[in-house]
């Protein structure tokens, strides 16, 4: 067990603390804890004003006194902005994950460094990834959901940015991996269409599909993203759905023989157009419907009748049903990355203060790639 | 090969002809052929005036002169009215089955007796089922799709009405069988909901689900049908969807723990309500959407977002993908019927003239059970 030294010296900046990796003794000096507070339930697209910055004057030394056996105190390095979090802002308690508590700190996936541990599985200096608070320091009680990041000391291998553990090697990456291999039933030569194709999940789906020998087309909402899809992410083709006058016609152009696999991230009119262009026995794998903001979609889907004539399977999934595959995923995707077979694009915002805007931006497609907020240097 | 005797004696009524079962010589005397003509393409619910009765003065003797090797001439005994036929009334040529030809005879499943054969697999007197014309006499060219009905001479066994070969033992029955066993992935104890539950397909799905050990609730559009569901077809419960003020509340009452399998026959608002009430990992098996009349559904579906959180599989299917199972189906369902484990309700209309109204009635739920039109006695 680590022995704690509480120090009040000003020079113990958060950065200084973070450099204490590997030491069993961590100095904890911060008097304040900046936090992003969830104000209250909504039933629309999130807005910045649904959250607020609060300076909690509970010092880290005080936090330590509140810790129970098994808890760890961490400093948060990276916070992940993910569309599923919108679901937790609703007053709906029957979903697969409970809603946020109004007037409490927002929660999400992050990468954090352990400052103090009352858990024998973690020690000060460990870097972990899992659910944490949108704040500088968090006491994590549910440590079972954390994964310790093995930092590779082998200089020969390609280093993996810590932030990738909330993206390429985190929940979005695993969502892409499980969704593609376990739900899409992909075959070499299949025609694959990915919407939100440069997003946290989509960019990986497209690359996995290419590695699998598929023909892959993606759509996104800016010309910059379309360029990335074609020139960096290896898509066979890509288009800006916002500038296409007729989505049905666009899809017919890119998929003259129909779509075998549609990896659905957006919902709405795009889904309706896709349903008109599926191939026989096609699969619509529903990962998200980011365009639909309420508890009930604003855009009704009119073309489901094609499910019958085309014998389409439309299937929603959650990565959490496939967690037994996580170790294989980590191994495979780490290997792909180190071999240069996969790249990953992040949209990195700086500072906790930027987190609400970064999160809200997901729903209007402002992010280019996986949206991460950096709180402190590594 | 049969030797043909052409006779012009008036006493050779159609009924007399039909009694010639087993004889190699058939007398063919009819001077006229009543037919139901498809007038032209529509994109709405069918109306009676989309079809018209025509007396063709092509005699059966003339028909025989037009027959090619492999053709058979039949007299049609029963014609089947099925919702899929609406799709053939549209000017849409890219579906799994081509549209009807305007100004030509309607086509559908039927039970027919062979009058004259130029095909070594069929002889006069054989009773066959498969696609035939909506007319008194048809020359069938595509005989590969026909199935010869083995008429059981064993007095001990429960006789099977010939008309059942377009229902319980025909395409609707096989649709129910393939859909339930191959697509629904049923497990004992599953909660199963069937819409259009007393219809040609639904009534079989419900009974198969009960035989499988499921809890089964059905809905229909009249109190008479609801009574049949509960008292004749063995459903655990049933309700009239037209008198329920709130479908979501009704489903919550009948399925407090959610629906594992929804056998979808109707589409529209019912589907939206069901999506709110599916259990985790539930299956929505899309057999038909009889409430939706156009090429694009009038009622947009708003609750597809539940596919993700509930990990729902929604799958369209056509029985024709499972034809290798047809022999097993025939054996199983014949056996169920003969053992009294399954019943079948038909709505029998009399005379070819009644066929257009019988068909149109499908789309407003006027039929109680499988809709058949009887043309001539057996």
């Amino acid at each position: 067990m680590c022995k704690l030294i509480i120090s009040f010296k000003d020079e113990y900046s958060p950065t200084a603390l973070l450099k204490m990796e590997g030491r069993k003794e961590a100095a904890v000096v911060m008097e304040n804890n900046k936090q992003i507070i969830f104000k209250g339930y909504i039933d629309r697209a999130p807005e910045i004003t649904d959250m607020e910055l609060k300076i909690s004057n509970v010092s880290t030394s005080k936090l330590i006194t509140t810790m129970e056996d098994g808890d760890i105190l961490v400093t948060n390095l990276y916070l992940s902005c993910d569309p599923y979090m919108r679901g937790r802002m609703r007053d709906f308690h029957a979903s697969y994950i409970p809603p946020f508590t109004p007037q409490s700190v927002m929660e999400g996936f992050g990468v954090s460094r352990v400052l103090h541990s009352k858990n024998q599985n973690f020690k000060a200096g460990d870097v972990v990834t899992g659910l944490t608070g949108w704040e500088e320091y968090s006491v994590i009680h549910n440590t079972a959901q954390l994964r310790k990041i093995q930092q590779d000391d082998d200089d020969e291998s390609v280093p993996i940015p810590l932030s990738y553990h909330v993206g390429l090697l985190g929940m979005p990456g695993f969502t892409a991996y499980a969704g593609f291999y376990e739900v899409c039933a992909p075959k070499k030569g299949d025609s694959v269409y990915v919407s939100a194709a440069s997003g946290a999940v989509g960019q990986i789906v497209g690359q996995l599909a290419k590695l699998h020998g598929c023909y892959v087309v993606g759509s996104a909402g800016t010309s910059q993203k379309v360029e990335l899809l074609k020139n960096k992410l290896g898509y066979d083709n890509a288009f800006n759905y916002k500038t296409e006058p007729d989505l049905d016609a666009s899809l017919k152009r890119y998929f003259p023989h129909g779509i075998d696999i549609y990896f659905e991230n957006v919902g709405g009119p795009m889904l309706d157009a896709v349903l008109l262009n599926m191939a026989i026995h096609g699969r619509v794998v529903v990962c998200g419907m980011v365009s639909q903001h309420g508890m009930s979609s604003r855009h009704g889907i009119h073309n489901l009748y094609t499910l019958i004539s085309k014998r389409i399977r439309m299937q929603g999934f959650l990565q959490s049903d496939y967690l037994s595959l996580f170790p294989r995923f980590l191994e495979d995707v780490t290997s792909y990355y180190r071999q240069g077979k996969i790249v990953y694009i992040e949209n990195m915002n700086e500072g906790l203060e930027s987190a609400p805007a970064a999160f809200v931006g997901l729903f209007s497609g402002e992010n280019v790639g996986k949206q991460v907020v950096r709180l402190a240097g590594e």
Side-chain angles (χ1 to χ4, degrees), chain A residues 62-360:
Chain A
K62 173 74 179 171
L63 280 177
I64 287 172
T65 66
T66 68
M67 287 168 70
E68 298 174 13
D69 276 354
D71 289 356
I72 61 172
L73 172 69
V74 301
T75 182
N76 294 310
L77 309 181
Y78 296 98
L79 297 177
S80 177
C81 297
D82 294 297
Y84 82 90
M85 296 168 70
R86 180 183 57 188
R88 303 192 69 184
M89 298 176 88
R90 294 175 184 141
D91 189 12
F92 181 65
H93 297 253
S95 189
Y96 62 98
I97 188 167
F100 293 134
T101 305
Q103 298 305 319
S104 296
V105 177
M106 297 271 291
E107 185 185 65
F109 288 102
V111 176
S112 316
R113 193 181 302 268
V114 180
L115 292 181
H116 182 69
S117 173
K118 287 194 167 187
N119 186 310
Q120 63 182 5
N121 297 320
F122 300 93
K123 64 180 188 302
D126 281 351
V127 180
V128 297
T129 183
L131 288 174
T132 190
W134 275 27
E135 56 192 343
E136 291 176 293
Y137 305 98
S138 299
V139 172
I140 300 179
H141 182 67
N142 179 11
T143 54
Q145 49 89 25
L146 293 177
R147 179 170 66 81
K148 212 186 291 187
I149 297 173
Q150 303 300 333
Q151 290 187 281
D152 213 319
D153 293 329
D154 180 359
D155 288 342
E156 307 270 325
S157 71
V158 178
I160 294 186
L162 278 185
S163 58
Y164 278 21
H165 292 279
V166 292
L168 180 66
L169 298 174
M171 184 273 289
F174 186 57
T175 299
Y177 184 91
F180 183 68
Y181 292 116
E182 300 299 313
V183 193
C184 288
K187 293 188 301 294
K188 188 177 171 178
D190 274 351
S191 291
V192 177
Y193 174 52
V194 184
S195 56
S198 66
V201 175
Q203 61 176 304
I204 304 174
V205 172
Q207 293 180 90
L208 293 178
K210 281 304 298 174
L211 288 172
H212 204 74
C214 300
Y215 165 76
V216 190
V217 176
S219 61
T222 68
S223 56
Q224 180 197 7
K225 293 178 185 178
V226 169
E227 282 308 303
L228 283 171
L229 289 172
K230 290 200 268 195
N231 300 324
K232 182 152 186 193
L233 294 167
Y235 279 71
D236 291 297
N237 223 323
F239 63 94
N240 180 347
Y241 73 91
K242 289 185 179 168
T243 59
E244 295 285 334
D246 180 344
L247 290 174
D248 178 27
S250 310
L251 291 171
K252 283 190 169 45
R253 197 163 64 241
Y254 292 110
F255 296 98
H257 305 296
I259 300 167
D260 296 303
I261 294 172
Y262 172 47
F263 200 92
E264 160 69 307
N265 286 310
V266 301
M270 180 63 84
L271 175 57
D272 250 346
V274 166
L275 286 168
L276 296 176
N277 287 282
M278 291 300 292
I280 285 171
H281 294 133
R283 288 81 75 196
V284 174
V285 173
V286 188
C287 176
M289 291 189 169
V290 77
S291 77
Q292 305 301 311
H293 301 305
M295 278 298 286
S296 174
S297 300
R298 293 173 305 177
H299 176 93
I301 300 297
H302 293 262
N303 296 332
L304 285 170
Y305 67 92
T306 61
L307 262 59
I308 304 169
S309 53
K310 301 285 187 65
R311 295 88 103 189
I312 295 167
R313 171 165 61 89
M314 188 166 173
Q315 185 153 0
F317 78 101
L318 291 176
Q319 49 85 28
S320 49
D321 283 341
Y322 302 89
L323 288 178
S324 64
L325 304 176
F326 200 91
R328 198 183 77 192
F329 150 73
L330 264 189
E331 192 177 328
D332 285 355
V333 177
T334 300
S335 164
Y336 290 153
Y337 178 73
R338 289 202 157 128
Q339 292 174 64
K341 290 181 176 172
I342 266 189
V343 297
Y344 200 57
I345 300 171
E346 291 178 315
N347 197 119
M348 188 67 74
N349 283 35
E350 297 291 337
L352 185 66
E353 296 83 347
S354 72
F359 173 63
V360 167

